[in-house]
Every structure is written in C-alpha cells, then in structure tokens.
Amino acid sequence: MLSRRHFIQTTTALFSASISSPLLAASWPTESQKAAWDAQVTPSGYDAFTSNPWGLHPRFLPQRVQANSGLVPGDIHVDAVAKYLYHIEAGGTAMRYGVAIGRGDLYEPGVYTIKRKVEWPHWTPTQSMIAREPEIYGQFEGGVEPGPRNALGSRALYLYVGERDTYLRIHGTPFPTSIGTSASSGCVRMVMAHINDLYPNVETGSAAFLYSTAESVTSRS
C-alpha cells in the first residue's frame, strides 16, 4: 500500500513538438481517411495489453490497476517519475498507460481541464518553441496537416486552466520509443494505438492532474 500522499496504488533531444496550438485549417480529413490512418497506426491483431511492436518496456503497456478511494471516475492523473497516465474508472479501478512527459523545466505540473478533443488534429508549434529551437520548428511555422507523422499523432486532448488554453496536450506521438522518457516540449505523449483506446472514454470537462516529481509514485514494477 502506498502512503496517502500518493494518488494511485500500483499493482506489480528527440524531435519534440509537444506544446502546440490548433491550426485554423480550411480542411479536415474525411472519416474514411481517419479510419485508414487508424488502421495504419494499429498493429495487426492488436491487443491493448500485449501488443508491443514498438519495443516498449512491458510496464508501459496498458494495465488495469486498483485506484485509491475517493478519486473521480473520468479524471486523468499523470505520474512524472514512473511516466504513467492513469484514467480513473468507476468501481475503483484505473487504466494505466506508459507516457512521455516534458523534458526539464518544460514539464508543467498542475490541475487542468480537458476542454477540447480532436481526432487526427492539425499542429502548429508555438512562437516560444520556434524561438527556442528555430532550426527544428521554424520550418513548421505555417502548421502541419493531420496524419501519422504529425507531432500530435492520432488524437489530442487539449488542457485548459479556466478558459485559457495552455497549449499543453495529451496526445499520440509518431515517436513511440520516447515513451518512458522526458522528451517532449511539455505535453504528455502516448502510443497512438493507446490514446485511440483512451480517447472515447474521456469526456470534456474532466480534470487532468499532472503531478510533480515530488508528488509522484516511483515505479517499482
């Protein structure tokens, strides 16, 4: 049993385009195009708990675990040390996924509200990203169309504080080998097949808790 300061009971520089703003695009992919891309990023015979063509450490595969009492079903909790995202379920359980988080001081602990959800989003780097690393992000200043190589991947959950868009996202990534590391420009990255599973179970208005390293649970599994 973990101490009460912990939020979950456990049971057992890359190209980093994570902080992002939505592009005001004139066109969006059709349903058939989105379905084709979903098939492209989903392994053949996919099983969420066992499929691992990405070579992840087994602990980063999705698992259903026991959640501490009192947590609100539907909310998301991110452990910055173990690199886990927990989606709280009714009945006292949670789905746990491996993630990547922001590198260095680009990771921003806090309590956020998920106010927007997008399938196969557009992506535009923020001006601060371009100023910080123009050699990487300058070429994308005009925005990137949706698709499997887009930095936000297949799904994005948009994090707000009040009515303010923080430009932080929980999103899919075309770089699944970054899972388990601190690699992004601030957002929380997931394997695209995993966030595709999570996405329909997350409602807008849900809270997302991004814990600091001092508050997080160090993985022992």
Side-chain angles (χ1 to χ4, degrees):
M1 172 72 74
L2 299 170
S3 68
R4 63 182 179 176
R5 66 188 291 267
H6 295 132
F7 56 93
I8 289 288
Q9 299 172 354
T10 54
T11 56
T12 9
L14 289 174
F15 170 68
S16 178
S18 293
I19 299 178
S20 53
S21 59
L23 182 68
L24 297 177
S27 64
W28 291 85
T30 64
E31 292 302 314
S32 61
Q33 180 64 79
K34 290 190 288 186
W37 286 335
D38 282 346
Q40 183 177 336
V41 301
T42 303
S44 177
Y46 174 67
D47 179 278
F49 301 102
T50 61
S51 295
N52 190 15
W54 314 283
L56 303 178
H57 189 288
R59 76 180 180 91
F60 294 126
L61 295 177
Q63 292 188 38
R64 180 164 279 109
V65 299
Q66 189 69 31
N68 281 350
S69 61
L71 298 181
V72 176
D75 284 353
I76 284 173
H77 300 259
V78 176
D79 181 329
V81 175
K83 309 299 189 295
Y84 290 148
L85 178 151
Y86 298 87
H87 183 236
I88 308 303
E89 301 175 315
T93 59
M95 279 300 299
R96 189 185 81 188
Y97 303 87
V99 298
I101 65 169
R103 64 187 188 273
D105 60 3
L106 297 178
Y107 177 72
E108 298 184 40
V111 182
Y112 303 93
T113 302
I114 298 166
K115 290 233 173 182
R116 185 175 178 231
K117 299 169 51 177
V118 179
E119 297 182 8
W120 292 104
H122 295 79
W123 169 70
T124 306
T126 62
Q127 288 303 307
S128 62
M129 291 171 68
I130 294 170
R132 186 170 61 245
E133 296 176 284
E135 69 285 359
I136 295 177
Y137 298 117
Q139 61 187 310
F140 304 114
E141 187 172 13
V144 179
E145 292 296 305
R149 299 305 299 172
N150 182 295
L152 295 186
S154 56
R155 305 287 189 275
L157 307 174
Y158 292 67
L159 306 187
Y160 283 66
V161 172
E163 297 302 315
R164 178 177 63 86
D165 186 355
T166 66
Y167 303 120
L168 297 174
R169 315 287 184 242
I170 298 169
H171 65 83
T173 179
F175 301 102
T177 55
S178 67
I179 299 302
T181 71
S182 299
S184 80
S185 285
C187 294
V188 177
R189 296 177 177 178
M190 298 178 65
V191 170
M192 283 194 254
H194 297 168
I195 197 170
N196 287 2
D197 289 341
L198 171 66
Y199 183 90
N201 299 317
V202 177
E203 296 184 3
T204 55
S206 299
F209 297 81
L210 274 57
Y211 291 85
S212 68
T213 55
E215 295 170 313
S216 293
V217 180
T218 301
S219 172
R220 298 193 181 104
S221 59

mmCIF file of all heavy atoms in Angstrom, residues 7-34:
data_model
loop_
_atom_site.group_PDB
_atom_site.id
_atom_site.type_symbol
_atom_site.label_atom_id
_atom_site.label_comp_id
_atom_site.label_asym_id
_atom_site.label_seq_id
_atom_site.Cartn_x
_atom_site.Cartn_y
_atom_site.Cartn_z
ATOM 1 N N PHE A 7 -1.295 9.115 -5.195
ATOM 2 C CA PHE A 7 -2.633 9.183 -5.755
ATOM 3 C C PHE A 7 -3.096 7.885 -6.379
ATOM 4 O O PHE A 7 -4.243 7.759 -6.745
ATOM 5 C CB PHE A 7 -2.726 10.313 -6.783
ATOM 6 C CG PHE A 7 -1.731 10.224 -7.906
ATOM 7 C CD1 PHE A 7 -2.068 9.597 -9.087
ATOM 8 C CD2 PHE A 7 -0.474 10.779 -7.775
ATOM 9 C CE1 PHE A 7 -1.157 9.533 -10.120
ATOM 10 C CE2 PHE A 7 0.432 10.717 -8.806
ATOM 11 C CZ PHE A 7 0.094 10.090 -9.980
ATOM 12 N N ILE A 8 -2.206 6.910 -6.532
ATOM 13 C CA ILE A 8 -2.574 5.644 -7.156
ATOM 14 C C ILE A 8 -1.863 4.508 -6.433
ATOM 15 O O ILE A 8 -0.733 4.651 -6.001
ATOM 16 C CB ILE A 8 -2.155 5.629 -8.650
ATOM 17 C CG1 ILE A 8 -3.034 6.579 -9.453
ATOM 18 C CG2 ILE A 8 -2.235 4.235 -9.256
ATOM 19 C CD1 ILE A 8 -4.447 6.126 -9.672
ATOM 20 N N GLN A 9 -2.519 3.368 -6.305
ATOM 21 C CA GLN A 9 -1.872 2.158 -5.841
ATOM 22 C C GLN A 9 -1.390 1.413 -7.072
ATOM 23 O O GLN A 9 -2.162 1.127 -7.969
ATOM 24 C CB GLN A 9 -2.849 1.256 -5.084
ATOM 25 C CG GLN A 9 -3.436 1.887 -3.837
ATOM 26 C CD GLN A 9 -4.529 1.021 -3.255
ATOM 27 O OE1 GLN A 9 -4.910 0.015 -3.840
ATOM 28 N NE2 GLN A 9 -5.032 1.415 -2.117
ATOM 29 N N THR A 10 -0.095 1.054 -7.126
ATOM 30 C CA THR A 10 0.388 0.260 -8.240
ATOM 31 C C THR A 10 0.305 -1.202 -7.859
ATOM 32 O O THR A 10 0.420 -1.556 -6.698
ATOM 33 C CB THR A 10 1.853 0.607 -8.584
ATOM 34 O OG1 THR A 10 2.638 0.486 -7.408
ATOM 35 C CG2 THR A 10 1.966 2.020 -9.116
ATOM 36 N N THR A 11 0.136 -2.038 -8.868
ATOM 37 C CA THR A 11 -0.033 -3.462 -8.622
ATOM 38 C C THR A 11 1.167 -4.263 -9.092
ATOM 39 O O THR A 11 1.253 -5.421 -8.886
ATOM 40 C CB THR A 11 -1.294 -3.996 -9.315
ATOM 41 O OG1 THR A 11 -1.215 -3.684 -10.692
ATOM 42 C CG2 THR A 11 -2.534 -3.388 -8.690
ATOM 43 N N THR A 12 1.824 -4.278 -9.399
ATOM 44 C CA THR A 12 3.007 -5.079 -9.672
ATOM 45 C C THR A 12 4.258 -4.168 -9.470
ATOM 46 O O THR A 12 4.213 -3.616 -8.454
ATOM 47 C CB THR A 12 2.944 -5.677 -11.104
ATOM 48 O OG1 THR A 12 1.858 -5.149 -11.904
ATOM 49 C CG2 THR A 12 2.777 -7.131 -10.930
ATOM 50 N N ALA A 13 17.878 15.226 -27.295
ATOM 51 C CA ALA A 13 16.615 15.845 -27.556
ATOM 52 C C ALA A 13 16.107 15.351 -28.884
ATOM 53 O O ALA A 13 16.655 15.659 -29.875
ATOM 54 C CB ALA A 13 16.763 17.333 -27.507
ATOM 55 N N LEU A 14 14.927 14.357 -28.725
ATOM 56 C CA LEU A 14 14.091 13.943 -29.853
ATOM 57 C C LEU A 14 13.411 15.129 -30.532
ATOM 58 O O LEU A 14 13.346 16.217 -29.986
ATOM 59 C CB LEU A 14 13.012 13.004 -29.316
ATOM 60 C CG LEU A 14 13.471 11.616 -28.870
ATOM 61 C CD1 LEU A 14 12.289 10.923 -28.248
ATOM 62 C CD2 LEU A 14 13.991 10.848 -30.044
ATOM 63 N N PHE A 15 12.924 14.860 -31.737
ATOM 64 C CA PHE A 15 12.037 15.859 -32.348
ATOM 65 C C PHE A 15 10.864 15.970 -31.414
ATOM 66 O O PHE A 15 10.145 15.016 -31.197
ATOM 67 C CB PHE A 15 11.585 15.399 -33.734
ATOM 68 C CG PHE A 15 10.484 16.248 -34.314
ATOM 69 C CD1 PHE A 15 10.716 17.556 -34.688
ATOM 70 C CD2 PHE A 15 9.214 15.732 -34.462
ATOM 71 C CE1 PHE A 15 9.705 18.328 -35.224
ATOM 72 C CE2 PHE A 15 8.185 16.492 -35.001
ATOM 73 C CZ PHE A 15 8.439 17.789 -35.380
ATOM 74 N N SER A 16 10.685 17.131 -30.840
ATOM 75 C CA SER A 16 9.771 17.276 -29.723
ATOM 76 C C SER A 16 8.815 18.404 -29.982
ATOM 77 O O SER A 16 9.105 19.548 -29.717
ATOM 78 C CB SER A 16 10.581 17.547 -28.452
ATOM 79 O OG SER A 16 9.729 17.741 -27.365
ATOM 80 N N ALA A 17 7.659 18.061 -30.525
ATOM 81 C CA ALA A 17 6.688 19.077 -30.929
ATOM 82 C C ALA A 17 5.456 18.989 -30.074
ATOM 83 O O ALA A 17 4.350 18.932 -30.567
ATOM 84 C CB ALA A 17 6.348 18.899 -32.384
ATOM 85 N N SER A 18 5.626 19.006 -28.762
ATOM 86 C CA SER A 18 4.508 18.673 -27.902
ATOM 87 C C SER A 18 3.641 19.851 -27.510
ATOM 88 O O SER A 18 2.436 19.724 -27.434
ATOM 89 C CB SER A 18 5.008 17.974 -26.643
ATOM 90 O OG SER A 18 5.535 16.721 -26.982
ATOM 91 N N ILE A 19 4.200 20.988 -27.173
ATOM 92 C CA ILE A 19 3.345 22.128 -26.870
ATOM 93 C C ILE A 19 2.865 22.695 -28.196
ATOM 94 O O ILE A 19 3.655 22.970 -29.079
ATOM 95 C CB ILE A 19 4.095 23.204 -26.067
ATOM 96 C CG1 ILE A 19 4.560 22.619 -24.735
ATOM 97 C CG2 ILE A 19 3.229 24.414 -25.849
ATOM 98 C CD1 ILE A 19 5.335 23.595 -23.899
ATOM 99 N N SER A 20 1.567 22.864 -28.334
ATOM 100 C CA SER A 20 1.072 23.173 -29.659
ATOM 101 C C SER A 20 -0.208 23.974 -29.606
ATOM 102 O O SER A 20 -0.936 23.941 -28.637
ATOM 103 C CB SER A 20 0.821 21.876 -30.418
ATOM 104 O OG SER A 20 -0.010 21.038 -29.661
ATOM 105 N N SER A 21 -0.476 24.675 -30.661
ATOM 106 C CA SER A 21 -1.717 25.418 -30.780
ATOM 107 C C SER A 21 -2.490 24.898 -31.974
ATOM 108 O O SER A 21 -1.900 24.489 -32.963
ATOM 109 C CB SER A 21 -1.427 26.911 -30.960
ATOM 110 O OG SER A 21 -0.654 27.128 -32.101
ATOM 111 N N PRO A 22 -3.832 24.893 -31.910
ATOM 112 C CA PRO A 22 -4.603 24.363 -33.026
ATOM 113 C C PRO A 22 -4.492 25.246 -34.251
ATOM 114 O O PRO A 22 -4.561 26.464 -34.171
ATOM 115 C CB PRO A 22 -6.040 24.343 -32.495
ATOM 116 C CG PRO A 22 -6.045 25.369 -31.411
ATOM 117 C CD PRO A 22 -4.669 25.357 -30.806
ATOM 118 N N LEU A 23 -4.295 24.630 -35.381
ATOM 119 C CA LEU A 23 -4.227 25.364 -36.627
ATOM 120 C C LEU A 23 -5.640 25.610 -37.144
ATOM 121 O O LEU A 23 -6.470 24.720 -37.160
ATOM 122 C CB LEU A 23 -3.442 24.537 -37.648
ATOM 123 C CG LEU A 23 -3.224 25.155 -39.027
ATOM 124 C CD1 LEU A 23 -2.302 26.355 -38.925
ATOM 125 C CD2 LEU A 23 -2.649 24.114 -39.967
ATOM 126 N N LEU A 24 -5.904 26.815 -37.559
ATOM 127 C CA LEU A 24 -7.205 27.129 -38.145
ATOM 128 C C LEU A 24 -7.168 26.721 -39.604
ATOM 129 O O LEU A 24 -6.830 27.503 -40.493
ATOM 130 C CB LEU A 24 -7.502 28.619 -37.974
ATOM 131 C CG LEU A 24 -7.611 29.098 -36.524
ATOM 132 C CD1 LEU A 24 -7.846 30.607 -36.492
ATOM 133 C CD2 LEU A 24 -8.725 28.366 -35.799
ATOM 134 N N ALA A 25 -7.480 25.470 -39.845
ATOM 135 C CA ALA A 25 -7.333 24.914 -41.186
ATOM 136 C C ALA A 25 -8.650 24.980 -41.935
ATOM 137 O O ALA A 25 -9.724 24.985 -41.360
ATOM 138 C CB ALA A 25 -6.858 23.472 -41.090
ATOM 139 N N ALA A 26 -8.531 25.014 -43.249
ATOM 140 C CA ALA A 26 -9.718 25.063 -44.083
ATOM 141 C C ALA A 26 -10.309 23.684 -44.309
ATOM 142 O O ALA A 26 -11.464 23.554 -44.687
ATOM 143 C CB ALA A 26 -9.375 25.710 -45.417
ATOM 144 N N SER A 27 -9.509 22.650 -44.113
ATOM 145 C CA SER A 27 -9.987 21.301 -44.397
ATOM 146 C C SER A 27 -9.559 20.340 -43.297
ATOM 147 O O SER A 27 -8.575 20.566 -42.603
ATOM 148 C CB SER A 27 -9.450 20.822 -45.747
ATOM 149 O OG SER A 27 -8.037 20.728 -45.708
ATOM 150 N N TRP A 28 -10.338 19.275 -43.171
ATOM 151 C CA TRP A 28 -10.058 18.235 -42.204
ATOM 152 C C TRP A 28 -10.162 16.888 -42.899
ATOM 153 O O TRP A 28 -10.849 16.761 -43.917
ATOM 154 C CB TRP A 28 -11.055 18.306 -41.038
ATOM 155 C CG TRP A 28 -10.862 19.505 -40.181
ATOM 156 C CD1 TRP A 28 -11.370 20.756 -40.381
ATOM 157 C CD2 TRP A 28 -10.071 19.585 -39.002
ATOM 158 N NE1 TRP A 28 -10.956 21.607 -39.394
ATOM 159 C CE2 TRP A 28 -10.152 20.918 -38.533
ATOM 160 C CE3 TRP A 28 -9.297 18.672 -38.293
ATOM 161 C CZ2 TRP A 28 -9.499 21.357 -37.388
ATOM 162 C CZ3 TRP A 28 -8.646 19.092 -37.157
ATOM 163 C CH2 TRP A 28 -8.739 20.417 -36.707
ATOM 164 N N PRO A 29 -9.513 15.853 -42.383
ATOM 165 C CA PRO A 29 -9.600 14.544 -43.034
ATOM 166 C C PRO A 29 -11.021 13.995 -42.989
ATOM 167 O O PRO A 29 -11.775 14.259 -42.049
ATOM 168 C CB PRO A 29 -8.633 13.678 -42.220
ATOM 169 C CG PRO A 29 -8.497 14.378 -40.903
ATOM 170 C CD PRO A 29 -8.631 15.834 -41.198
ATOM 171 N N THR A 30 -11.362 13.234 -43.999
ATOM 172 C CA THR A 30 -12.663 12.583 -44.032
ATOM 173 C C THR A 30 -12.682 11.413 -43.057
ATOM 174 O O THR A 30 -11.640 10.972 -42.553
ATOM 175 C CB THR A 30 -12.949 12.052 -45.436
ATOM 176 O OG1 THR A 30 -11.974 11.033 -45.761
ATOM 177 C CG2 THR A 30 -12.893 13.173 -46.475
ATOM 178 N N GLU A 31 -13.877 10.906 -42.799
ATOM 179 C CA GLU A 31 -13.988 9.754 -41.908
ATOM 180 C C GLU A 31 -13.242 8.550 -42.476
ATOM 181 O O GLU A 31 -12.608 7.798 -41.730
ATOM 182 C CB GLU A 31 -15.460 9.409 -41.675
ATOM 183 C CG GLU A 31 -16.215 10.460 -40.865
ATOM 184 C CD GLU A 31 -15.592 10.710 -39.500
ATOM 185 O OE1 GLU A 31 -15.257 9.710 -38.812
ATOM 186 O OE2 GLU A 31 -15.413 11.879 -39.125
ATOM 187 N N SER A 32 -13.285 8.368 -43.779
ATOM 188 C CA SER A 32 -12.573 7.238 -44.376
ATOM 189 C C SER A 32 -11.059 7.421 -44.265
ATOM 190 O O SER A 32 -10.327 6.447 -44.031
ATOM 191 C CB SER A 32 -12.982 7.053 -45.839
ATOM 192 O OG SER A 32 -12.663 8.203 -46.603
ATOM 193 N N GLN A 33 -10.575 8.652 -44.401
ATOM 194 C CA GLN A 33 -9.147 8.900 -44.243
ATOM 195 C C GLN A 33 -8.708 8.654 -42.813
ATOM 196 O O GLN A 33 -7.659 8.044 -42.556
ATOM 197 C CB GLN A 33 -8.807 10.331 -44.651
ATOM 198 C CG GLN A 33 -7.326 10.677 -44.507
ATOM 199 C CD GLN A 33 -6.431 9.866 -45.409
ATOM 200 O OE1 GLN A 33 -6.314 10.161 -46.595
ATOM 201 N NE2 GLN A 33 -5.808 8.825 -44.875
ATOM 202 N N LYS A 34 -9.508 9.111 -41.846
ATOM 203 C CA LYS A 34 -9.166 8.872 -40.443
ATOM 204 C C LYS A 34 -9.150 7.377 -40.127
ATOM 205 O O LYS A 34 -8.277 6.894 -39.396
ATOM 206 C CB LYS A 34 -10.140 9.615 -39.529
ATOM 207 C CG LYS A 34 -9.959 11.137 -39.557
ATOM 208 C CD LYS A 34 -10.756 11.847 -38.478
ATOM 209 C CE LYS A 34 -12.221 11.856 -38.751
ATOM 210 N NZ LYS A 34 -12.967 12.680 -37.766
#
